[in-house]
Amino acid sequence: MALKYVEKRYIFIFVILSFFKSLQAAFIAVVSQQMVNWVNKPKLSYLFTIVVVALVGLIVFWLVSIFYQKIYFMVVRKINCNIKAIVSKYLIFSNNPSVELDTSFFTNDLKTIETDKIEAELQIITNVIQFITAIIASIAGSLPLTIVFMLASFLPGIFQRILGRNIEEKSKEWDKSNSKYTENVKETEMFSASARLYNTENNLWKRFKSSANTMEAALLKLNFWQGFTNETINTIAYSVITIAPIALGVYLVSIKNITLGTLIMVSQLSNNFVNPVIIISAYLNDMRVAKHMWKKIQDLSQKSNCLQNSKLGIDYFNGIELKDVAVAYKDKDVFSNVSFDIKKGEKVLIVAPSGWGKSTLLNTLLGNINIKKGRYLINGEDMTTDIKKVHNYFSYINQEPRLLDDTILYNITLGCKYDQNILNDVIHKAGLEDLIEEKGWDFKVGQSGSHLSGGQKQRIEIARALFFNRPVILADEATASLDPVLAKQIHETLLKEYHGTIIEVAHHLTTEEKGMFNKVIQFGN
Ligand code: ADP
Ligand code: MG
């Protein structure tokens, strides 16, 4: 149930309001019954009373409906927020996510869950209540007539079960192609400049259109099948309820078993217990659309519970050792027999050709990738048992700086509390004083840091690495995309201003830059 993601008191209020709202149907039916029966004893003052009561009643039900709408959308909002909190927590906190989450999940799938799961559950509750109150009022009018109307209302449910199965299957196909389409949108946006460069706009355009077509075709299949199912059920329901029950009703009136007013009342009420059955079966179909997406949320929700900040106070750091380490992705071996010993405070450069596995090696040190063979020691202790915590020893400098579309300050501190003196020291060491003076701490860096130069972005990464004050900085080809002068400056900053251990990987550095390190380890050819 999606409703478990909102406080119970809201559901309680929602059920109460649904109940009062459902009385509207019975009220209108009784008013109609009284009006038709009035023909038998036409006293004008009584007609007037009925009309006044009807008007007052309708105003009261109008108010109830407004409150109902308000609480309905409040519940939807609360559940949406809670689900988004769970999903984003999983995305951010989980080290090795086993549930796949892409942009499409956050946009399309969560929207589908809103309409086809959360709203479906609320509508089912409302309609069940409507069904019950209408049927009770109808039985009060005439039992046999109600039974015939009710039997007619169950038929659609049977067909729903038969026709509904296909919908789930079609929904899965649509979800898959939608995911591909969203990725394609991102790719096309990113690649359009390259396509123009090589005069291949048409090909990129074709590629995009083909993915859009596939997605739309899958959506068409899903929508059509859903529509076909709902329309078929409607037709069956209406043809059955207009023939059998009305025939019985006029017969009962003719033998004076019921009044004409009661026939009108029951047939009007029958809408309110037949329609809910149709609506409920339509919503049950909708829920099939959302079923596999909802399963993802359930999986996540369980896993999210145990996720937390993996904070670890580090008392001391003395060195890292790898002994005959081998690492593989599934069945693809990346490297093997890697051994080195790095002591506290050393500045180490690891040189290896492109594709050798340098980034993989750094991710292994961070505990993001499992070791297939060999030993990984920090301070002489085996880390393979506690691999999730090793990241606390490291800062990391990416080849492509990773910046949030936020202020310079936030990009350095990532929202942590800070001491201004420490921060000033950090930006001094990272060579960012001029930038801060010119733009200020609250300057917005733009998407992926688009308002800054390559060197400034790299320096923010360095400032962040220094701010978090970890014993070891790992740098992944930190200067590979910068010009030689800037690359040298950045190396000077890092190697002179930071007194901890540095492990940098690169496929190529100048002899001068290599000379700045204490130790150069060469892998590959
Ligand atoms: P480098 O940083 O030295 O250029 P990488 O560590 O990025 O090399 O990659 C090493 C090898 O592992 C490459 O052959 C690459 O194709 C492969 N590889 C990298 N990441 C993955 C991954 N997530 N799954 C499977 N193979 C990968
Ligand atoms: Mg790499």
Side-chain angles (χ1 to χ4, degrees):
M1 285 278 272
L3 300 185
K4 72 177 177 200
Y5 292 109
V6 66
E7 294 96 314
K8 286 206 177 57
R9 63 173 189 279
Y10 288 100
I11 300 297
F12 179 74
I13 300 172
F14 176 76
V15 169
I16 298 286
L17 285 172
S18 287
F19 170 71
F20 283 113
K21 185 169 142 45
S22 77
L23 294 180
Q24 186 177 27
F27 176 75
I28 293 170
V30 171
V31 168
S32 311
Q33 181 201 36
Q34 293 302 311
M35 281 188 171
V36 174
N37 286 346
W38 175 83
V39 178
N40 300 332
K41 259 194 275 165
K43 210 172 121 201
L44 220 52
S45 66
Y46 183 51
L47 185 60
F48 182 73
T49 314
I50 299 174
V51 170
V52 170
V53 169
L55 287 178
V56 171
L58 286 176
I59 289 171
V60 172
F61 283 116
W62 171 70
L63 286 174
V64 169
S65 302
I66 302 288
F67 283 121
Y68 167 87
Q69 292 294 336
K70 171 93 186 168
I71 193 92
Y72 178 95
F73 289 112
M74 234 164 90
V75 169
V76 172
R77 176 184 152 241
K78 278 182 182 283
I79 298 177
N80 269 338
C81 287
N82 280 336
I83 288 176
K84 287 198 166 86
I86 290 168
V87 179
S88 53
K89 182 178 177 194
Y90 183 79
L91 180 79
I92 294 165
F93 284 65
S94 172
N95 230 15
N96 302 306
S98 55
V99 182
E100 207 182 306
L101 294 176
D102 51 16
T103 322
S104 159
F105 185 80
F106 275 88
T107 51
N108 302 314
D109 290 12
L110 287 190
K111 192 72 203 164
T112 306
I113 283 176
E114 178 188 316
T115 44
D116 292 348
K117 175 79 185 170
I118 304 172
E119 296 209 43
E121 283 181 11
L122 291 174
Q123 291 288 354
I124 287 172
I125 292 182
T126 303
N127 281 285
V128 165
I129 293 174
Q130 178 67 86
F131 175 82
I132 294 170
T133 53
I135 210 133
I136 290 172
S138 177
I139 287 171
S142 162
L143 180 64
L145 206 50
T146 307
I147 290 174
V148 176
F149 271 114
M150 196 161 73
L151 284 181
S153 75
F154 282 138
L155 226 78
I158 297 166
F159 278 87
Q160 190 272 325
R161 292 200 80 78
I162 300 168
L163 296 172
R165 278 181 210 127
N166 229 330
I167 293 178
E168 224 174 289
E169 210 43 51
K170 301 249 179 324
S171 159
K172 266 189 202 157
E173 281 162 31
W174 169 63
D175 195 38
K176 233 199 270 158
S177 57
N178 200 17
S179 203
K180 274 199 196 136
Y181 167 75
T182 317
E183 289 309 309
N184 201 305
V185 171
K186 279 197 286 187
E187 255 181 21
T188 305
E189 194 191 358
M190 180 269 293
F191 211 77
S192 59
S194 304
R196 285 193 294 276
L197 172 71
Y198 294 115
N199 299 329
T200 53
E201 297 99 317
N202 263 327
N203 296 345
L204 187 66
W205 192 24
K206 237 197 263 168
R207 200 169 165 275
F208 177 83
K209 284 190 293 189
S210 139
S211 131
N213 282 344
T214 314
M215 189 273 282
E216 292 295 342
L219 182 60
L220 172 88
K221 267 194 202 159
L222 172 64
N223 283 342
F224 175 71
W225 191 256
Q226 234 174 331
F228 170 78
T229 308
N230 290 344
E231 291 301 337
T232 308
I233 289 168
N234 266 347
T235 307
I236 292 166
Y238 283 121
S239 55
V240 176
I241 61 167
T242 42
I243 301 164
I246 302 285
L248 175 69
V250 287
Y251 172 72
L252 291 178
V253 174
S254 76
I255 61 165
K256 301 233 170 1
N257 180 285
I258 57 173
T259 62
L260 189 60
T262 302
L263 171 60
I264 300 278
M265 173 183 131
V266 173
S267 84
Q268 210 173 66
L269 274 172
S270 73
N271 279 333
N272 298 102
F273 58 76
V274 173
N275 281 343
V277 174
I278 298 170
I279 293 170
I280 288 167
S281 66
Y283 277 113
L284 287 175
N285 279 340
D286 288 351
M287 282 169 80
R288 285 170 188 258
V289 174
K291 195 169 170 188
H292 71 282
M293 301 165 193
W294 185 248
K295 201 174 159 295
K296 256 190 192 179
I297 304 257
Q298 297 292 91
D299 276 5
L300 285 181
S301 168
Q302 263 177 357
K303 290 181 179 137
S304 262
N305 277 339
C306 5
L307 294 171
Q308 47 179 307
N309 247 346
S310 39
K311 235 183 189 144
L312 167 83
I314 293 177
D315 307 329
Y316 94 121
F317 171 77
N318 207 19
I320 293 178
E321 217 179 323
L322 289 192
K323 288 186 177 171
D324 268 340
V325 166
V327 165
Y329 288 111
K330 295 206 175 103
D331 16 278
K332 181 187 180 303
D333 289 335
V334 182
F335 53 74
S336 54
N337 299 325
V338 166
S339 301
F340 55 66
D341 184 359
I342 295 171
K343 297 263 175 300
K344 180 183 178 183
E346 279 185 328
K347 320 287 180 200
V348 180
L349 173 66
I350 296 176
V351 186
S354 241
W356 174 81
K358 298 182 295 298
S359 302
T360 307
L361 175 63
L362 293 189
N363 272 298
T364 309
L365 294 179
L366 284 173
N368 292 338
I369 299 173
N370 288 331
I371 291 174
K372 187 176 160 192
K373 209 184 113 226
R375 296 179 72 200
Y376 172 14
L377 310 166
I378 294 182
N379 302 335
E381 279 174 45
D382 200 316
M383 282 296 131
T384 30
T385 51
D386 209 6
I387 202 74
K388 282 221 161 80
K389 290 195 169 160
V390 299
H391 74 268
N392 289 285
Y393 289 94
F394 304 103
S395 284
Y396 194 91
I397 299 174
N398 292 290
Q399 173 171 2
E400 289 293 329
R402 306 234 165 127
L403 298 188
L404 294 164
D405 186 1
D406 214 306
T407 61
I408 295 181
L409 179 68
Y410 192 90
N411 271 292
I412 295 175
T413 61
L414 300 180
C416 291
K417 285 204 188 101
Y418 60 90
D419 175 324
Q420 192 61 48
N421 292 329
I422 291 177
L423 207 53
N424 290 343
D425 183 49
V426 159
I427 58 146
H428 169 71
K429 284 178 175 164
L432 276 173
E433 275 166 325
D434 291 350
L435 180 72
I436 302 283
E437 198 150 303
E438 189 196 339
K439 316 243 187 202
W441 287 105
D442 291 333
F443 177 71
K444 295 256 190 197
V445 303
Q447 257 187 22
S448 310
S450 58
H451 301 157
L452 299 174
S453 74
Q456 289 168 335
K457 286 191 264 190
Q458 202 57 274
R459 283 174 186 281
I460 289 184
E461 281 254 326
I462 293 176
R464 184 192 300 150
L466 296 174
F467 174 79
F468 281 91
N469 196 26
R470 299 277 172 79
V472 185
I473 288 183
L474 302 178
D476 190 355
E477 313 219 28
T479 56
S481 56
L482 303 178
D483 67 74
V485 179
L486 202 55
K488 188 168 163 248
Q489 274 177 15
I490 298 250
H491 273 124
E492 274 170 354
T493 309
L494 251 183
L495 294 161
K496 292 200 180 124
E497 301 291 348
Y498 174 64
H499 302 297
T501 309
I502 292 183
I503 304 174
E504 174 163 344
V505 295
H507 68 275
H508 176 76
L509 284 189
T510 62
T511 322
E512 194 188 355
E513 281 171 312
K514 280 186 186 169
M516 296 178 185
F517 290 84
N518 302 137
K519 201 195 255 181
V520 178
I521 303 173
Q522 184 99 30
F523 288 114
N525 39 34

